[in-house]
């Protein structure tokens, strides 16, 4: 029996979305994980980018216990989270033309690398330009977005396109436009966003796929262990040292 209290309703909604991405995005998840495994095996580096709350899912796969040590955060000052003051500045920066070019020009991204771009709406200039310019460098791009925005909103990029239009692989989070799962007659606006739950699950599903794909090829996946288990720090030290030329968050 479903719990009709708001907490139960939200969790039920999140579970339904997770089931949808499990069933409907299985092939895309497999393809994305395979792309990352190919990149690792071929000597490439892995990067993740997200702006605002979309950055949470990107950060969750960087320097993460149980995650791939080679996943680096591509940070854009002022848009990585809500620590910028005022917080609204981050939203404004996402709409600035040319910012992605400036970031990529000073980043270590190069041909043969892979970049995961997380953007719920995929409509702002920053994620669109990031994908376009990264691919022009020879970087493979995986987009994690809600495809619904492309049919229900307008692009804020000069081309009129969305993130999904400039990716090698697209993972659709299935999140409805507005990112709010609940409504009540007594509450004046929809509430309870689920995008972080679903997008983080998608990201971890891709990481798991990549690790298993590497193992299937006889390649030991460069995984980190928790620093809170015995031997974890020593293990991580060896991994970080072995792949130091492909890890940028320790510099």
């Amino acid at each position: 029996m479903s719990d009709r209290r708001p907490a139960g309703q939200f969790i039920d909604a999140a579970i339904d979305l997770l089931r949808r991405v499990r069933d409907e995005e299985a092939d895309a998840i497999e393809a994305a994980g395979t792309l990352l495994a190919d990149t690792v095996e071929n000597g490439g580096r892995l990067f993740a980018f997200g702006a605002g709350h979309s950055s949470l899912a990107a950060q969750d796969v960087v320097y993460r216990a149980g995650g791939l040590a080679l996943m680096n955060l591509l940070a854009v000052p002022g848009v990585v989270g809500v620590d910028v003051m005022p917080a609204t500045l981050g939203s404004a920066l996402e709409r600035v033309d040319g910012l992605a070019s400036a970031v990529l020009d000073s980043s270590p991204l190069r041909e043969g690398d892979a970049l995961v771009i997380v953007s719920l709406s995929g409509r702002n200039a920053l994620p669109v330009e990031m994908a376009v310019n990264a691919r022009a460098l020879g970087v493979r791009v995986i987009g994690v977005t809600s495809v619904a925005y492309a049919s229900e909103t307008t692009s804020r990029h000069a081309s009129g396109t969305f993130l999904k239009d400039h990716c090698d692989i697209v993972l659709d989070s299935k999140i409805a436009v507005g990112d709010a799962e609940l409504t009540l007659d007594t509450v004046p606006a929809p509430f309870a966003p689920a995008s972080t739950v679903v997008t983080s699950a998608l990201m971890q599903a891709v990481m798991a796929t990549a690790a298993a794909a590497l193992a299937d090829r006889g390649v030991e996946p460069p995984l980190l262990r928790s620093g809170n288990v015995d031997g974890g720090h020593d293990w991580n030290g060896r991994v970080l040292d072995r792949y130091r030329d492909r890890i940028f968050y320790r510099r």
Side-chain angles (χ1 to χ4, degrees), residues 87-108:
T88 51
L89 175 60
S91 297
L93 289 174
E94 287 186 67
R95 305 179 189 183
V96 174
D97 293 332
L99 180 56
S101 295
V103 170
L104 288 175
D105 286 347
S106 60
S107 80

Side-chain angles (χ1 to χ4, degrees), residues 117-168:
I117 300 177
V118 185
S119 175
L120 177 60
S121 73
R123 69 187 297 218
N124 289 311
L126 182 56
V128 174
E129 287 186 0
M130 190 74 75
V132 171
N133 295 347
R135 292 180 86 189
L137 293 173
V139 174
R140 302 292 298 280
V141 174
I142 298 167
V144 185
T145 187
S146 170
V147 173
Y149 277 82
S151 59
E152 300 181 38
T153 68
T154 57
S155 171
R156 290 182 175 137
H157 187 256
S159 67
T161 60
F162 288 75
L163 170 62
K164 74 173 186 64
D165 300 315
H166 304 285
C167 300
D168 295 283

Side-chain angles (χ1 to χ4, degrees), residues 41-101:
E41 189 173 17
N42 294 330
R45 295 86 58 81
L46 309 179
F47 295 85
F49 165 76
H53 288 94
S54 290
S55 180
L56 296 174
Q59 293 181 60
D60 191 45
V61 296
V62 176
Y63 190 52
R64 189 70 162 84
L68 294 172
L70 304 191
M71 184 60 72
N72 300 278
L73 185 67
L74 183 63
V76 179
V79 305
V80 173
V82 294
D83 56 335
V84 62
M85 297 297 288
T88 51
L89 175 60
S91 297
L93 289 174
E94 287 186 67
R95 305 179 189 183
V96 174
D97 293 332
L99 180 56
S101 295

